[in-house]
Amino acid sequence: MANPAIQDYQRPTDLLEALRQLRDLGPRAMALAGGTAVNAEPQPRIERVVDLAGLGLGAIAEEGPVWKLGAMVTVQQLIDSPLGREGFLGGALGEAARAMSGLNLRNRATLGGILATTDGISPLGCALLASDAELVLASLKGDAVEKRVLPLRAFLGYHASVLAGGSLITEVRLPIPSGDTRAAYERVARTPRDYPIVCAVARLAHKDGIAGNVRLALGGVAATPIRLDLAEFGLEKKAIRDHAAAAVEDGLRALSPQGDWMGSAEYRLAMAREMALRAIARCAA
Amino acid sequence: MSTLAVTTTLNGETVTFLCEPHETLLTALRDRLMLTGTKEGCSNGNCGACNVILDGTLVNSCLVLAAEVDGHQITTIEGIAGPNGLHPLQTSFLENAALQCGICTPGFIVASKALLDKNPQPTEREVRHWLAGNLCRCTGYDKIVRAVLEAASAGATKE
């Protein structure tokens, strides 16, 4: 899509320069990652784009207890890495990543970009939430780069103001799950390849039918992907078979989804219940 | 507004062109370089009509700024046929009547070329998943999938 207001293209090679270029034009400048959101929407206010491609943020590395993924790692790069395969969280991360879009968009869309511009459904956002992902954010302090680490769940919902304040996502960190951790992605969509209407990612440690370290993330029921805390709490250290239904029901009470052309509020709630229960059941299978 | 000079390897040849910072790769290909085989469909990444291969990966050229491709390699539909005529994928699309109005066809062929470069013998399921980002509003997909599978079994990547 043409955005004729853009009059200036920058491709800095260091982070400090990138942050300065964004700061200097304030809300009239925008970071450019894969372009699948920025270039797909009208941007009447944006005069400068700062391309992050030269910052070396495209690597995936295992370091101690965490995987570190550069913010410019593409969705397809994640799918093709060990994190997208069956051996990591039962393939749930890869499955959620594949649900984001067709290949030609996955080849460009980046992890930083999809989180910075997240919608309320984002299957990969749900999987990252359920994986306890953390973000490394860089901003200017005076004239130096300051980095801080923020849990993804604290970022979502406030992402627009965090980024408008001049911060850049530079890295996504995923803790390496314990050996008995299981995860599953479930979704309902109009066709098998379509973007979901509602989706769920459950992750839990499973031992003798008892759940531990429970995470349940839902997409399609709020303005961003969310965690269902009450459901997680209700299932923790409990027999999955006996407590899943009541725990999910408790969690759903906190939701007030908006209906739209893809599904009414009632439909979204009903599907959220079903997808959550299916995902939990697959973890327990 | 600062006009930019972009140097890229386009269909195997080094090319330098001028563009404005807001121009997409699609616009530059069509209006600056007169390579009009790459089509504009939706202009927001849904239809795949503007597919090109950028450094070996399939992308929508409507979502890439022309300035971003400086120093990179691009293959467009014009670079698919060889010196001796049509690429086997193109022949197979013709033989299978895998097109009707034709506006989606360059995107499908470029996407299929990227698939066969990576996976010379795809299954039908792999073809369908790979082409999920390409829309055809008239012919439907069965003949397109058949054309890709036939081209693959004929050894399309050897051309």
Side-chain angles (χ1 to χ4, degrees):
Chain A
M1 168 168 289
N3 275 306
I6 296 172
Q7 296 173 27
D8 184 26
Y9 167 87
Q10 299 291 337
R11 181 159 47 180
T13 51
D14 75 84
L15 191 54
L16 179 61
E17 190 57 30
L19 289 166
R20 281 180 183 155
Q21 288 170 352
L22 287 167
R23 178 188 62 186
D24 289 349
L25 283 200
R28 289 176 292 139
M30 188 179 245
L32 176 66
T36 56
V38 171
N39 290 334
E41 304 285 338
Q43 309 288 356
R45 292 184 309 128
I46 302 302
E47 294 168 18
R48 168 185 287 174
V49 289
V50 179
D51 187 352
L52 308 181
L55 301 182
L57 300 176
I60 300 178
E62 187 179 357
E63 276 186 45
V66 293
W67 281 92
K68 295 184 172 179
L69 302 105
M72 291 290 281
V73 166
T74 65
V75 174
Q76 188 60 34
Q77 215 181 323
L78 172 72
I79 291 169
D80 293 336
S81 78
L83 296 167
R85 300 196 193 118
E86 191 66 30
F88 189 84
L89 292 176
L93 200 57
E95 216 179 319
R98 271 191 293 276
M100 291 299 288
S101 60
L103 175 77
N104 29 24
L105 287 177
R106 298 199 304 262
N107 279 338
R108 291 292 290 178
T110 64
L111 299 186
I114 62 150
L115 295 173
T117 62
T118 190
D119 60 15
I121 301 168
S122 185
L124 185 53
C126 291
L128 293 172
L129 258 187
S131 306
D132 287 342
E134 294 182 324
L135 304 182
V136 179
L137 294 164
S139 54
L140 283 177
K141 185 170 189 182
D143 219 16
V145 177
E146 182 184 53
K147 288 192 176 182
R148 63 191 193 282
V149 179
L150 192 66
L152 176 58
R153 71 173 311 182
F155 173 79
L156 291 174
Y158 302 97
H159 53 287
S161 48
V162 169
L163 298 173
S167 293
L168 267 182
I169 305 170
T170 60
E171 190 175 281
V172 179
R173 292 182 179 172
L174 288 181
I176 294 173
S178 62
D180 54 358
T181 301
R182 299 180 181 187
Y185 165 74
E186 286 287 337
R187 57 98 181 87
V188 59
R190 294 170 302 178
T191 70
R193 282 302 310 140
D194 202 5
Y195 200 56
I197 302 168
V198 172
C199 61
V201 177
R203 195 198 76 160
L204 50 86
H206 178 263
K207 198 175 178 192
D208 303 327
I210 306 294
N213 210 13
V214 181
R215 300 286 181 273
L216 181 61
L218 287 178
V221 292
T224 68
I226 53 157
R227 289 247 311 265
L228 223 54
D229 304 82
L230 279 175
E232 295 175 358
F233 181 73
L235 203 52
E236 191 69 32
K237 303 282 182 284
K238 302 269 176 58
I240 298 170
R241 183 174 295 186
D242 300 335
H243 292 87
V248 167
E249 212 54 52
D250 274 350
L252 293 177
R253 284 200 194 99
L255 300 182
S256 51
Q258 300 291 305
D260 62 10
W261 62 275
M262 285 177 85
S264 66
E266 294 76 20
Y267 178 78
R268 287 180 181 279
L269 264 186
M271 289 303 108
R273 176 183 300 113
E274 185 61 28
M275 296 308 120
L277 288 173
R278 284 186 196 176
I280 291 168
R282 272 178 59 199
C283 291
Chain B
M1 177 121 29
S2 51
T3 301
L4 304 164
V6 174
T7 301
T8 177
T9 307
L10 181 58
N11 297 328
E13 287 181 25
T14 303
V15 173
T16 298
F17 63 88
L18 298 175
C19 68
E20 303 301 333
H22 61 80
E23 274 183 62
T24 64
L25 175 58
L26 173 64
T27 313
L29 288 171
R30 290 181 58 86
D31 298 349
R32 302 267 178 189
L33 298 161
M34 299 308 168
L35 295 176
T36 54
T38 305
K39 302 302 182 198
E40 179 175 16
C42 65
S43 259
N44 60 19
N46 276 301
C47 77
C50 67
N51 275 183
V52 300
I53 301 173
L54 173 60
D55 295 337
T57 59
L58 183 67
V59 303
N60 295 319
S61 61
C62 72
L63 297 182
V64 178
L65 292 180
E68 290 183 73
V69 302
D70 189 50
H72 295 273
Q73 296 196 19
I74 300 161
T75 303
T76 68
I77 184 67
E78 288 86 353
I80 303 291
N84 301 320
L86 293 180
H87 186 277
L89 268 168
Q90 294 170 308
T91 310
S92 186
F93 268 64
L94 284 172
E95 286 173 353
N96 283 281
L99 63 149
Q100 209 172 98
C101 84
I103 196 116
C104 70
T105 312
F108 268 104
I109 289 180
V110 168
S112 305
K113 171 74 163 54
L115 167 63
L116 298 189
D117 285 349
K118 194 174 175 186
N119 179 0
Q121 296 295 329
T123 63
E124 180 180 340
R125 181 184 160 83
E126 285 168 338
V127 173
R128 287 185 182 274
H129 274 258
W130 187 279
L131 296 178
N134 293 77
L135 300 181
C136 169
R137 297 283 87 155
C138 38
T139 301
Y141 302 95
D142 285 349
K143 289 191 276 189
I144 292 171
V145 172
R146 202 178 311 141
V148 177
L149 289 169
E150 275 185 25
S153 62
T157 49
K158 290 177 191 145
E159 296 292 319

